[in-house]
Amino acid sequence: MTETPTRIRAEIDLEAVRANVRALRAAAPTAQLMAVVKADGYGHGAVPCARAAREAGAAWLGTATPQEALALRAAGDTGPVLCWLWTPGGPWREAVEAGIDVSVSALWALREVAAAARASGRTARIHLKADTGLGRNGCAPADWAGLTAAARAAEARGTVRVTGLWSHFACADEPGHPSVTAQQSAFREALAVAEGCGLRPEVRHLANSPATLTLPDSHYDLVRTGVAVYGISPSPELGTPAEHGLRPAMTLRAALASVKRVPAGHGVSYGHRYTTTGETTLALVPAGYADGVPRHASGAGPVLVGGKWRQVAGRVAMDQFVVDLGADSAAPGDDAVLFGPGDGGEPTAEDWARAAGTIAYEIVTRIGARVPRVYLGKSGENDGDAGSGTDGGAGHG
Ligand SMILES: *Cc1c(COP(=O)(O)O)cnc(C)c1O
């Protein structure tokens, strides 16, 4: 259940999402673009971000789970959508009937999707996924010839159409990592095997955000961009968002819940891991780990209050944390900006990632269901549609 945005809100700048999609299309001018909106659009709201991405020319949407893809259809999206994280007994038939492209990495999945296609009287659109070295999902090289031949036979029977051949990088965010060229050559071999048995896909695709930004020869027919759509650099090593023409779309903002003077020697928050060194002013930020503020950023996370960066004083609790304002003053209700694009002097999600020992992907994706998303820059004709507005939509559970 979300709340009205007085305590805290995540402002999502949909014009930034559109501009990021345009910048990424310019970075991969020979390929189509898939906007990856899994995990509720990396915490930004899948439906409004998907709509903004489509408006800016994203030909495809991508999700991890079939449920996420079906939710896009339920919200009215009718374009190409791929989902790739399946388990036995998944909603194959619903996906086939909704015209969703599905990823297949193994014979069991090919059998299940073919059965769903027969039951629904439709041809399933499938993307065969090769493991070119990530060691996660994807068909191992030893099984690839068997999977591609079985898929070709299913095509001949009319149950499936192989619309895509694809794979995923392990280390595209580490420029020069030897696995990158090894995976590219493994992908070329996998394509040759598939094409050799007669498969003629609509799209071959390999690149995620870091590869889209740095490896033009990995673009093929389609690039799958996730984190960059939301204006976040895949890694500090690859430079700032601005260096790639990207702008962070999320600003996480809270209103101070308490401001008070306390004497020297006052312990702060659970465990008293912070003690005031002199008489000082403490301000309470009503946001905690239930809202996605990482507890690992205790004593370290940065917040803009009264024009200056402050640090979390002591532990982040479930619902709140404290900052020490020193000699400065503030009032309840004053703005506390945890992160944003950074050009208003506020920290960025990358700053929080460094403070918490994680990556910026995790900071935005874990913003909690309790935090209302407030959409800025909605295109006029979509005002009032499901999934937009300030209620956070239906997708944040
Ligand atoms: C999440 C994901 C992406 C997007 O990755 P980014 O680094 O966020 O661009 C692309 N492809 C697959 C298979 C994914 O799981």
Side-chain angles (χ1 to χ4, degrees):
M1 200 53 210
T2 54
E3 55 187 274
T4 51
T6 51
R7 173 182 70 100
I8 186 171
R9 62 186 185 272
E11 295 167 355
I12 311 299
D13 179 357
L14 295 174
E15 184 47 40
V17 171
R18 285 189 290 267
N20 294 336
V21 167
R22 289 191 291 265
L24 292 164
R25 288 180 65 206
T30 61
Q32 295 186 305
L33 183 133
M34 174 189 290
V36 179
V37 296
K38 62 189 178 186
D40 199 23
Y42 292 46
H44 295 66
V47 167
C49 291
R51 192 170 284 152
R54 291 284 199 205
E55 287 162 358
W60 287 76
L61 299 175
T63 69
T65 71
Q67 289 79 12
E68 291 170 328
L70 289 163
L72 295 171
R73 286 286 187 258
D77 191 273
T78 55
V81 176
L82 172 66
C83 61
W84 48 77
L85 194 57
W86 288 87
T87 44
W92 299 103
R93 183 164 176 181
E94 292 90 322
V96 169
E97 288 176 354
I100 291 167
D101 287 44
V102 303
S103 180
V104 166
S105 296
L107 287 171
W108 68 261
L110 183 62
R111 278 192 294 270
E112 292 202 4
V113 74
R118 281 191 303 274
S120 66
R122 298 184 53 145
T123 301
R125 294 171 52 87
I126 70 172
H127 294 223
L128 297 180
K129 184 174 193 185
D131 183 356
T132 55
L134 175 60
R136 218 171 59 177
N137 216 340
C139 178
D143 301 326
W144 181 247
L147 181 63
T148 53
R152 180 70 194 110
E155 265 193 350
R157 286 191 293 271
T159 51
V160 310
R161 159 101 181 93
V162 178
T163 49
L165 295 170
W166 73 302
S167 189
H168 192 37
F169 278 119
C171 308
D173 56 342
E174 296 177 50
H177 193 286
S179 69
V180 173
T181 49
Q183 284 198 256
Q184 287 183 281
S185 75
F187 190 56
R188 282 191 294 272
E189 281 165 37
L191 292 178
V193 169
E195 285 159 9
C197 82
L199 295 176
R200 298 289 179 270
E202 294 169 10
V203 285
R204 300 157 302 161
H205 50 108
L206 178 60
N208 53 3
S209 292
T212 300
L213 296 173
T214 64
L215 292 169
D217 63 351
S218 73
H219 292 174
Y220 289 92
D221 308 309
L222 174 66
V223 296
R224 303 186 309 272
T225 50
V227 83
V229 165
Y230 309 100
I232 291 171
S233 173
S235 143
E237 251 194 287
L238 297 186
T240 63
E243 283 165 342
H244 296 289
L246 303 172
R247 179 176 171 77
M250 184 188 291
T251 298
L252 185 63
R253 193 187 289 281
L256 296 181
S258 155
V259 179
K260 64 190 174 198
R261 291 292 286 173
V262 298
H266 203 302
V268 174
S269 192
Y270 292 132
H272 278 178
R273 296 306 170 93
Y274 182 86
T275 306
T276 58
T277 52
E279 188 186 332
T280 192
T281 297
L282 298 180
L284 182 65
V285 180
Y289 59 78
D291 303 297
V293 179
R295 188 169 180 275
H296 276 91
S298 293
V303 190
L304 183 71
V305 178
K308 289 186 200 164
W309 280 33
R310 324 284 175 168
Q311 231 172 20
V312 176
R315 284 197 176 136
V316 174
M318 186 180 290
D319 314 302
Q320 44 196 298
F321 66 85
V322 172
V323 293
D324 187 341
L325 301 182
D328 297 335
S329 57
D334 282 1
D335 225 20
V337 184
L338 284 77
F339 60 82
D343 48 8
E346 74 280 10
T348 63
E350 188 59 51
D351 293 312
W352 275 86
R354 201 173 309 113
T358 184
I359 55 176
Y361 289 72
E362 188 179 2
I363 297 297
V364 291
T365 302
R366 291 174 70 114
I367 296 305
R370 192 167 74 171
V371 177
R373 273 65 168 174
V374 177
Y375 292 97
L376 313 176
K378 275 183 294 187
S379 67
E381 75 231 45
N382 288 327
D383 279 357
D385 283 4
S388 58
T390 60
D391 63 354
H396 295 112

